[in-house]
Amino acid sequence: MNPVGTSSIVFVTLSGLFWGGWVFGSQTPAGQDALARAYQAYAEHQAQANEDLFDTTALRALVCGADQVGPDGHEQRPCLAVVAAGRIFIVDAGSGAADALNRRNIPLDRLQAVLLTSAGFTQSADLDELYASAASGRADQLLPVYGPADTQRLVEGMNTAAGFDGIDRGLQAWAPAPEPDRSVIVFEGDGLTISAFTTPEDAYAGRVGYRFDYRGRSIVVAGDGRVETAQAAHDADVLLHSAQALALTQLHQPAGPGASIAEIAAEARAANAGTVVFTGAGTEMAATMQIQEARAAGLSDARAGRVGMLVELPLANREVNVRSL
């Protein structure tokens, strides 16, 4: 059992015993001490589990956004944390991203950069909170932000509002501006290469995707664009893609500009992509619908990426391991 699973059992068991005794009037110093030890054990195990995220034996992606779909079917709060080579990269900073990571005790002082698939408010709402969490624990007071061309204007506005110069302190914008099917490397080091890429449709709409290659394993993050059609998405071990089930769009309003699940499934097969993880489902029902539609479209290896899901690609084999963090 992984450290998080073990600590959770210890914590829940001891907490249940203590609080059960408290309810029935049998609260004692021994019970209080037991609960204190449970909290300490839980914190220690969680800290160790989070530290294990940064070992160099795997490429990992954590669904960290507060992905909740509102009554109109469109309230998405995207955020993915990709961890490799001892570093963490955040793809899209949706509302609640910093809080979700802090609650899981993810050390944001290791945050290398934020990568935006779009410069829209949905993808950038929590940039200021992420910066505050990252900058408080390190000497470097700059946080690089990569994204489409509009990222420059977005970052300048946020720096001005916060009183940062963007040179010694604040957000630092980088707009790689890839041409369709011509990737641009935005980070390279210690066996990790991150490339930004786009398609003709996404370039027109101001959207980009990112490919993470780490010592033979690969993850592609598509956001809500159509990047699964790009050459850079071919042969990826995992494709993470925001999508809304057709059944939900029929209940609410027409879906946004992204591809449908059936289209993603067809294009993922054509690109020889491995596991496809659909994000953006705010409820268990929505997640179930995602998988049903994917399988109906002939995509057998599909997952619904709920908040807290960790996708792990070991370097020692070709497995794709999925668990909750």
Side-chain angles (χ1 to χ4, degrees):
M1 180 177 290
N2 63 69
V4 172
T6 304
S7 63
S8 297
I9 291 175
V10 172
F11 176 71
V12 170
T13 301
L14 291 178
S15 296
L17 287 173
F18 172 71
W19 289 113
W22 183 84
V23 168
F24 291 103
S26 59
Q27 185 179 13
T28 65
Q32 292 177 345
D33 184 58
L35 182 59
R37 290 198 306 272
Y39 272 110
Q40 182 179 358
Y42 178 75
E44 290 174 354
H45 279 286
Q46 186 177 48
Q48 182 59 52
N50 288 343
E51 185 63 30
D52 290 345
L53 285 175
F54 292 90
D55 69 35
T56 58
T57 63
L59 173 62
R60 301 175 176 91
L62 172 67
V63 181
C64 53
D67 279 347
Q68 297 175 351
V69 179
D72 65 353
H74 298 300
E75 188 186 354
Q76 297 185 22
R77 304 175 184 180
C79 171
L80 292 164
V82 180
V83 184
R87 300 174 174 88
I88 183 170
F89 300 83
I90 302 297
V91 184
D92 289 333
S95 177
D99 181 62
L101 290 161
N102 286 327
R103 280 189 285 106
R104 287 178 170 80
N105 294 320
I106 304 297
L108 287 176
D109 57 336
R110 297 198 189 189
L111 179 57
Q112 184 78 29
V114 176
L115 313 172
L116 301 179
T117 61
S118 169
F121 179 77
T122 300
Q123 291 78 17
S124 62
D126 226 33
L127 261 179
D128 54 349
E129 293 293 337
L130 277 177
Y131 172 78
S133 295
S136 64
R138 62 187 185 188
D140 186 357
Q141 295 293 294
L142 284 174
L143 177 62
V145 180
Y146 295 88
D150 285 346
T151 302
Q152 185 73 41
R153 182 171 55 184
L154 168 72
V155 165
E156 287 176 356
M158 296 185 73
N159 279 336
T160 299
F164 299 147
D165 58 15
I167 300 174
D168 298 311
R169 190 180 181 202
L171 303 171
Q172 190 174 56
W174 299 93
E179 297 178 8
D181 282 333
R182 295 188 66 180
S183 300
V184 175
I185 294 175
V186 298
F187 179 87
E188 192 169 25
D190 297 326
L192 173 65
T193 301
I194 305 174
S195 305
F197 63 99
T198 191
T199 64
E201 298 86 355
D202 286 329
Y204 177 79
R207 294 191 297 263
V208 296
Y210 297 94
R211 179 177 177 121
F212 296 77
D213 286 286
Y214 184 53
R215 298 178 179 176
R217 305 307 306 267
S218 55
I219 290 175
V220 168
V221 182
D224 60 1
R226 299 294 302 269
V227 297
E228 69 280 351
T229 65
Q231 183 65 35
H234 283 214
D235 301 318
D237 291 315
V238 173
L239 171 64
L240 291 126
H241 206 306
S242 176
Q244 187 177 343
L246 179 61
L248 288 180
T249 65
Q250 293 172 340
L251 287 173
H252 302 293
Q253 297 177 1
S260 69
I261 290 177
E263 290 172 327
I264 295 169
E267 291 160 356
R269 293 198 309 273
N272 195 35
T275 302
V276 178
V277 179
F278 294 104
T279 59
T283 65
E284 287 292 344
M285 181 181 72
T288 299
M289 289 180 177
Q290 284 180 333
I291 301 306
Q292 288 176 342
E293 290 186 17
R295 290 177 178 169
L299 188 64
S300 58
D301 194 0
R303 302 271 186 155
R306 302 304 307 281
V307 173
M309 173 185 282
L310 179 67
V311 181
E312 191 171 58
L313 281 63
L315 304 185
N317 53 54
R318 305 306 300 175
E319 294 179 358
V320 176
N321 301 322
V322 178
R323 60 182 174 88
S324 296
L325 181 65

